[in-house]
Amino acid sequence: MASKELRTFTRDEVAQHNTEGDLWVIVDTKVYDLTKFRNLHPGGASVLLEEGVPGQDATEVFFSLHRYEVLERPQYKRLQVGVIQGEDAKVFPTINNGEISKVPYAEPTWLVEGYHSPYFTENHRRFQQAMRKFVDEYVYPDAQARELDGKRPSQFVVDKMAEVEMHAMRMGPGKHLRGRTLMGGLVKPEEFDYFHELIISQEITRCGARGYGDGINSGMVIGLPPVLNFGAPELKARVVPEVLGGKKFICLAISEAFAGSDVFGLQTTATKTEDGKHWIITGTKKWITNGTFADYFTVGCKTEDGFTVILVERGEGVETKPIKTSYSPAAGTAYVIFDNVKVPVENTLGEEGGGIFVMLSNFNHERWVMCCTSARGQRSIVEECLKWTSQRKAFGKPLHSQAVVRAKLAAMIARTESVQNWLENITYQMCNMSYREQANKLAGPIAFLKMYSTRSAQQTATDAVQIFGGRGITQTGMGRHIEHYHRTVPFDALLGGAEDVLADLGVRQAMRNMPKNARL
Ligand code: HEM
C-alpha cells in the first residue's frame, strides 16, 4: 500500500473497532483491519477475537506466533489501514535488509561495533558491505523462492553474479582474476585474498537455503579448479570464460554408488580408441551437485594407468536424473550415466593416471570453503535462537529465563565463536602460504576444523530444535529456519570427506611430523 493511503489513528480510535464485524488490531505501530481476513487467517478466526486482541495492541502475541516476514507478504501488507499517530515503529526486520544485525553473536566479532580484528582491512569491510547488499537484494529472495519450488537458481541471479565477477572470485585468489573488474572495482585482482572469498561464502550462507546454496554454482567451486589448474590451454580458453561468465555450468563427478572416498574403487572406465585420439567413457556417478543442469562434468575415471580426471561435455551418451535428497532439488543433485561417451583426449585434466594428484590439489580449498559456510550457518541459528528465546514467553517469562535454555545458548555461542576464530586463523595462514605450502601444512588443520565445525553444527541444530519445540520440526512459521537447518546440516558432515575420515587424516598428518626423538 502506498504510504499516502495510510491514515493515522489514536489508540482510542482503534479501540472502537473491537467486534467480529469490525475487527482492527495494532501490531507495533501499524493498524490492521482483520474483519474480512478473519475467516482466512491460517491460525483461525477465534484467536483473533480473544481478550486483548480486538481493537488492542497485539504486538506481543503477534511476535510470539509469527515471523516479521508475515507482515511483509503482499497479501498481508494490504491489511494495513494506518499507523498510530505520533509513534515511531519499534520493530524492524533484522534479516535481509542489507545491514549488520544488532543481535549479540549474530555477526562475527570483526563486524561488531567496538570490536577489533587483526585480519580484516578497510577493503574487506567495504567488500562485505557491498556483498551483503548484493545478497540481500538479489540472492536472498531467489533463494527463498527456489528452495520452495525446487527449481534451479534463476539465471537472472547467475548473470548478476557474473556482472560483478563473483563466479571468478569464488575460485579464490589467483591468475584467473587478472584483468577482471571485481565487485564493480571495489577490490583489485591482486588485492583479492582468502578473506574476501570467506566473506563471499559466508554472506551467501546467510540466505539459510542449503539446497539453493549448493545450486548457486557449488559445482563450479569444486569442478572448475581441475580445468583451471590442469586443463590444456585451448580447453581452458573455451570452457573457463563460459563458466565464469555464468553461461555454462560445470560439476565434479567423482562419487559413485560403488565408491566415494575410495577413488581406486571407482568403476567408471575410460579406454582409448585405437587411434588414441579419444576416450570412451562408460559408468555411473551418484550425488553429483549441479549435475541435473551441468553442461560440463569433471569426471574421475579408471584408466589403464590408474585414475584419470577427464572433462566430459553433455551430449550423446550422457544422461542425468535428479536424486531426491534431504535438501531441495534446487541443488540439482544428480545420478549421471555415461554410456560409451566419446571425448577428445585433449580433455584429459593433468597426467594420465595422475588423477589423484588433480583431486588432492583442490581438497584443502574445497574443505575450507565448507568450513566458511558451516561457521556462518550455525551463527544464523544462534541468532534465531536468541530472538526466539527473547520474544517467546512460557510461564509468564521469556524462554531465556530458564537456566536450561541459557545453558544451551551458551554452548552454541561458544561453539560458533570457536569455529569462526579458528577459521580466521587458518585463512590467515592460507593468505601467507604458497599453494604447495598450504598442501603440506594445512591439510591436517583444515580437516580438523571441518570435522569440528560440522559436529558443532549438528549439536547446535539438535539444541535449537529443543529450544523451538514443535516449531523446530515445522517447515513454515517461526521455526522454519531451524527445521531446514536441522534437516540439511548432516550433509555438511559428509561432503568433502566424512567426519571420521577427516579426523583420521588430521592425526595421520600430525604423526608424520612427529620428531623421531620426541619422548615423554
Ligand atoms: C496482521 C495480522 C495477522 C496476520 C497477517 C496473520 C497471519 C498469519 C499467518 C500467515 C499464519 C501462519 C503462520 C505460518 O506460516 O505457520 C498465522 C498463524 C497464526 N496466527 Fe496469525 N496473523 C495475524 C494476527 C494474529 C493475531 C493478532 C493473533 C493473536 C492471537 C494470531 C494468532 C495466530 C495463531 C495462533 C497462529 C498459528 C500459529 C502456529 O501454528 O504456530 N494472528 N497467522
Side-chain angles (χ1 to χ4, degrees), residues 218-252:
S218 293
M220 175 200 71
V221 174
I222 53 180
L224 192 63
V227 181
L228 261 183
N229 301 325
F230 299 95
E234 308 76 52
L235 187 74
K236 279 203 286 197
R238 183 163 59 86
V239 174
V240 174
E242 290 172 337
V243 174
L244 296 185
K247 297 301 170 209
K248 292 230 170 156
F249 298 87
I250 190 168
C251 64
L252 182 68

Short mmCIF file of all heavy atoms in Angstrom, two decimals, residues 218-252:
data_model
loop_
_atom_site.label_atom_id
_atom_site.label_comp_id
_atom_site.label_asym_id
_atom_site.label_seq_id
_atom_site.Cartn_x
_atom_site.Cartn_y
_atom_site.Cartn_z
N SER A 218 27.90 -24.33 -6.75
CA SER A 218 28.90 -25.07 -5.97
C SER A 218 29.61 -26.07 -6.84
O SER A 218 30.76 -26.43 -6.58
CB SER A 218 28.28 -25.92 -4.91
OG SER A 218 27.75 -25.55 -4.02
N GLY A 219 28.91 -26.56 -7.86
CA GLY A 219 29.54 -27.49 -8.79
C GLY A 219 30.78 -26.86 -9.42
O GLY A 219 31.79 -27.52 -9.63
N MET A 220 30.68 -25.55 -9.68
CA MET A 220 31.82 -24.84 -10.26
C MET A 220 32.98 -24.74 -9.26
O MET A 220 34.14 -24.94 -9.63
CB MET A 220 31.36 -23.42 -10.65
CG MET A 220 32.47 -22.54 -11.15
SD MET A 220 32.03 -20.78 -11.04
CE MET A 220 32.06 -20.51 -9.27
N VAL A 221 32.63 -24.46 -7.99
CA VAL A 221 33.69 -24.29 -6.99
C VAL A 221 34.56 -25.55 -6.89
O VAL A 221 35.77 -25.47 -6.72
CB VAL A 221 33.08 -23.91 -5.61
CG1 VAL A 221 34.14 -23.87 -4.52
CG2 VAL A 221 32.36 -22.57 -5.71
N ILE A 222 33.93 -26.72 -7.05
CA ILE A 222 34.73 -27.96 -6.93
C ILE A 222 35.07 -28.57 -8.30
O ILE A 222 36.04 -29.30 -8.42
CB ILE A 222 34.01 -29.01 -6.04
CG1 ILE A 222 32.58 -29.29 -6.52
CG2 ILE A 222 34.02 -28.58 -4.60
CD1 ILE A 222 31.83 -30.32 -5.68
N GLY A 223 34.31 -28.22 -9.33
CA GLY A 223 34.52 -28.87 -10.63
C GLY A 223 35.43 -28.10 -11.59
O GLY A 223 36.04 -28.69 -12.48
N LEU A 224 35.52 -26.78 -11.41
CA LEU A 224 36.33 -25.99 -12.34
C LEU A 224 37.84 -25.98 -12.02
O LEU A 224 38.64 -25.93 -12.95
CB LEU A 224 35.79 -24.55 -12.45
CG LEU A 224 36.38 -23.72 -13.60
CD1 LEU A 224 36.03 -24.31 -14.97
CD2 LEU A 224 35.91 -22.27 -13.54
N PRO A 225 38.25 -26.03 -10.73
CA PRO A 225 39.69 -25.97 -10.45
C PRO A 225 40.53 -26.98 -11.24
O PRO A 225 41.59 -26.62 -11.76
CB PRO A 225 39.79 -26.20 -8.94
CG PRO A 225 38.50 -25.68 -8.43
CD PRO A 225 37.47 -26.02 -9.47
N PRO A 226 40.09 -28.24 -11.41
CA PRO A 226 40.92 -29.15 -12.22
C PRO A 226 41.11 -28.64 -13.66
O PRO A 226 42.16 -28.84 -14.25
CB PRO A 226 40.13 -30.47 -12.21
CG PRO A 226 39.33 -30.40 -10.95
CD PRO A 226 38.96 -28.96 -10.79
N VAL A 227 40.09 -27.95 -14.20
CA VAL A 227 40.22 -27.40 -15.55
C VAL A 227 41.19 -26.21 -15.51
O VAL A 227 42.11 -26.11 -16.33
CB VAL A 227 38.84 -26.93 -16.10
CG1 VAL A 227 38.98 -26.39 -17.52
CG2 VAL A 227 37.83 -28.06 -16.05
N LEU A 228 40.99 -25.33 -14.54
CA LEU A 228 41.84 -24.14 -14.43
C LEU A 228 43.30 -24.51 -14.22
O LEU A 228 44.20 -23.92 -14.83
CB LEU A 228 41.41 -23.33 -13.20
CG LEU A 228 40.51 -22.13 -13.36
CD1 LEU A 228 40.30 -21.48 -12.00
CD2 LEU A 228 41.11 -21.11 -14.32
N ASN A 229 43.53 -25.49 -13.37
CA ASN A 229 44.91 -25.81 -12.98
C ASN A 229 45.57 -26.87 -13.84
O ASN A 229 46.79 -26.95 -13.89
CB ASN A 229 44.96 -26.25 -11.51
CG ASN A 229 44.43 -25.16 -10.59
OD1 ASN A 229 44.63 -23.98 -10.86
ND2 ASN A 229 43.74 -25.55 -9.54
N PHE A 230 44.78 -27.72 -14.48
CA PHE A 230 45.37 -28.85 -15.20
C PHE A 230 44.91 -28.98 -16.65
O PHE A 230 45.36 -29.86 -17.37
CB PHE A 230 45.07 -30.17 -14.46
CG PHE A 230 45.64 -30.21 -13.08
CD1 PHE A 230 44.86 -29.85 -11.98
CD2 PHE A 230 46.95 -30.58 -12.87
CE1 PHE A 230 45.39 -29.87 -10.70
CE2 PHE A 230 47.49 -30.61 -11.59
CZ PHE A 230 46.71 -30.25 -10.50
N GLY A 231 43.98 -28.10 -17.08
CA GLY A 231 43.46 -28.21 -18.45
C GLY A 231 44.45 -27.70 -19.48
O GLY A 231 45.26 -26.81 -19.19
N ALA A 232 44.36 -28.24 -20.70
CA ALA A 232 45.20 -27.75 -21.81
C ALA A 232 44.76 -26.32 -22.14
O ALA A 232 43.58 -25.98 -21.98
CB ALA A 232 45.01 -28.65 -23.02
N PRO A 233 45.69 -25.46 -22.62
CA PRO A 233 45.35 -24.05 -22.85
C PRO A 233 44.11 -23.84 -23.72
O PRO A 233 43.25 -23.02 -23.40
CB PRO A 233 46.60 -23.49 -23.54
CG PRO A 233 47.71 -24.39 -23.11
CD PRO A 233 47.11 -25.74 -22.88
N GLU A 234 43.97 -24.64 -24.80
CA GLU A 234 42.80 -24.44 -25.69
C GLU A 234 41.50 -24.80 -24.96
O GLU A 234 40.48 -24.14 -25.15
CB GLU A 234 42.89 -25.32 -26.96
CG GLU A 234 44.19 -25.23 -27.73
CD GLU A 234 45.34 -25.98 -27.06
OE1 GLU A 234 45.16 -27.16 -26.74
OE2 GLU A 234 46.40 -25.37 -26.84
N LEU A 235 41.57 -25.83 -24.14
CA LEU A 235 40.38 -26.25 -23.41
C LEU A 235 39.97 -25.15 -22.42
O LEU A 235 38.81 -24.75 -22.34
CB LEU A 235 40.66 -27.56 -22.66
CG LEU A 235 39.46 -28.21 -21.98
CD1 LEU A 235 38.56 -28.87 -23.01
CD2 LEU A 235 39.92 -29.24 -20.95
N LYS A 236 40.97 -24.66 -21.71
CA LYS A 236 40.70 -23.59 -20.72
C LYS A 236 40.12 -22.36 -21.41
O LYS A 236 39.18 -21.75 -20.93
CB LYS A 236 42.01 -23.19 -20.03
CG LYS A 236 42.38 -24.14 -18.94
CD LYS A 236 43.30 -23.50 -17.93
CE LYS A 236 44.70 -23.30 -18.44
NZ LYS A 236 45.67 -23.05 -17.38
N ALA A 237 40.71 -22.01 -22.56
CA ALA A 237 40.29 -20.79 -23.25
C ALA A 237 38.82 -20.87 -23.64
O ALA A 237 38.13 -19.86 -23.71
CB ALA A 237 41.16 -20.59 -24.49
N ARG A 238 38.33 -22.09 -23.86
CA ARG A 238 36.93 -22.24 -24.26
C ARG A 238 36.01 -22.36 -23.03
O ARG A 238 35.00 -21.67 -22.94
CB ARG A 238 36.80 -23.50 -25.14
CG ARG A 238 35.41 -23.74 -25.68
CD ARG A 238 35.45 -24.73 -26.84
NE ARG A 238 36.01 -26.02 -26.45
CZ ARG A 238 35.32 -27.01 -25.91
NH1 ARG A 238 34.03 -26.86 -25.70
NH2 ARG A 238 35.90 -28.15 -25.59
N VAL A 239 36.39 -23.21 -22.10
CA VAL A 239 35.47 -23.56 -21.01
C VAL A 239 35.42 -22.51 -19.90
O VAL A 239 34.34 -22.15 -19.41
CB VAL A 239 35.88 -24.95 -20.42
CG1 VAL A 239 35.05 -25.29 -19.20
CG2 VAL A 239 35.75 -26.02 -21.50
N VAL A 240 36.61 -22.00 -19.50
CA VAL A 240 36.64 -21.12 -18.33
C VAL A 240 35.79 -19.85 -18.51
O VAL A 240 34.97 -19.53 -17.63
CB VAL A 240 38.11 -20.80 -17.93
CG1 VAL A 240 38.16 -19.77 -16.81
CG2 VAL A 240 38.82 -22.09 -17.52
N PRO A 241 35.90 -19.14 -19.64
CA PRO A 241 35.07 -17.92 -19.78
C PRO A 241 33.56 -18.23 -19.74
O PRO A 241 32.79 -17.47 -19.15
CB PRO A 241 35.47 -17.36 -21.15
CG PRO A 241 36.79 -17.97 -21.45
CD PRO A 241 36.81 -19.30 -20.79
N GLU A 242 33.17 -19.34 -20.34
CA GLU A 242 31.73 -19.68 -20.34
C GLU A 242 31.23 -19.91 -18.92
O GLU A 242 30.14 -19.48 -18.54
CB GLU A 242 31.50 -20.99 -21.11
CG GLU A 242 31.70 -20.92 -22.59
CD GLU A 242 31.65 -22.33 -23.21
OE1 GLU A 242 31.88 -23.34 -22.53
OE2 GLU A 242 31.36 -22.39 -24.40
N VAL A 243 32.04 -20.62 -18.13
CA VAL A 243 31.60 -20.96 -16.77
C VAL A 243 31.67 -19.74 -15.85
O VAL A 243 30.71 -19.43 -15.14
CB VAL A 243 32.43 -22.14 -16.20
CG1 VAL A 243 32.06 -22.41 -14.75
CG2 VAL A 243 32.21 -23.39 -17.05
N LEU A 244 32.79 -19.02 -15.91
CA LEU A 244 32.90 -17.85 -15.03
C LEU A 244 31.96 -16.73 -15.46
O LEU A 244 31.60 -15.87 -14.67
CB LEU A 244 34.35 -17.35 -14.97
CG LEU A 244 35.36 -18.33 -14.36
CD1 LEU A 244 36.73 -17.69 -14.23
CD2 LEU A 244 34.90 -18.86 -13.01
N GLY A 245 31.52 -16.78 -16.70
CA GLY A 245 30.54 -15.80 -17.19
C GLY A 245 29.10 -16.21 -16.86
O GLY A 245 28.16 -15.50 -17.20
N GLY A 246 28.94 -17.37 -16.22
CA GLY A 246 27.61 -17.82 -15.81
C GLY A 246 26.75 -18.32 -16.97
O GLY A 246 25.54 -18.48 -16.84
N LYS A 247 27.37 -18.58 -18.11
CA LYS A 247 26.58 -19.02 -19.26
C LYS A 247 26.52 -20.54 -19.35
O LYS A 247 25.60 -21.11 -19.95
CB LYS A 247 27.19 -18.47 -20.57
CG LYS A 247 27.16 -16.96 -20.64
CD LYS A 247 25.74 -16.43 -20.54
CE LYS A 247 25.71 -14.91 -20.38
NZ LYS A 247 24.54 -14.44 -19.62
N LYS A 248 27.54 -21.21 -18.80
CA LYS A 248 27.52 -22.68 -18.78
C LYS A 248 27.85 -23.14 -17.37
O LYS A 248 28.46 -22.41 -16.59
CB LYS A 248 28.54 -23.23 -19.77
CG LYS A 248 28.14 -22.95 -21.21
CD LYS A 248 28.20 -24.20 -22.05
CE LYS A 248 27.58 -23.92 -23.41
NZ LYS A 248 28.05 -24.81 -24.43
N PHE A 249 27.46 -24.38 -17.08
CA PHE A 249 27.61 -24.90 -15.72
C PHE A 249 28.45 -26.16 -15.72
O PHE A 249 28.40 -26.96 -16.66
CB PHE A 249 26.23 -25.15 -15.11
CG PHE A 249 25.43 -23.89 -15.02
CD1 PHE A 249 24.67 -23.45 -16.10
CD2 PHE A 249 25.52 -23.08 -13.91
CE1 PHE A 249 23.98 -22.25 -16.05
CE2 PHE A 249 24.84 -21.87 -13.85
CZ PHE A 249 24.07 -21.46 -14.91
N ILE A 250 29.21 -26.32 -14.65
CA ILE A 250 30.12 -27.45 -14.56
C ILE A 250 29.91 -28.13 -13.21
O ILE A 250 29.47 -27.48 -12.25
CB ILE A 250 31.60 -26.97 -14.70
CG1 ILE A 250 32.55 -28.15 -14.85
CG2 ILE A 250 32.02 -26.05 -13.57
CD1 ILE A 250 33.96 -27.73 -15.29
N CYS A 251 30.20 -29.43 -13.14
CA CYS A 251 30.11 -30.12 -11.86
C CYS A 251 31.25 -31.11 -11.73
O CYS A 251 31.92 -31.43 -12.72
CB CYS A 251 28.77 -30.83 -11.73
SG CYS A 251 28.55 -32.13 -12.94
N LEU A 252 31.47 -31.56 -10.50
CA LEU A 252 32.52 -32.55 -10.24
C LEU A 252 31.84 -33.91 -10.11
O LEU A 252 30.94 -34.07 -9.27
CB LEU A 252 33.26 -32.19 -8.96
CG LEU A 252 34.42 -33.10 -8.58
CD1 LEU A 252 35.56 -32.96 -9.58
CD2 LEU A 252 34.94 -32.79 -7.17
#
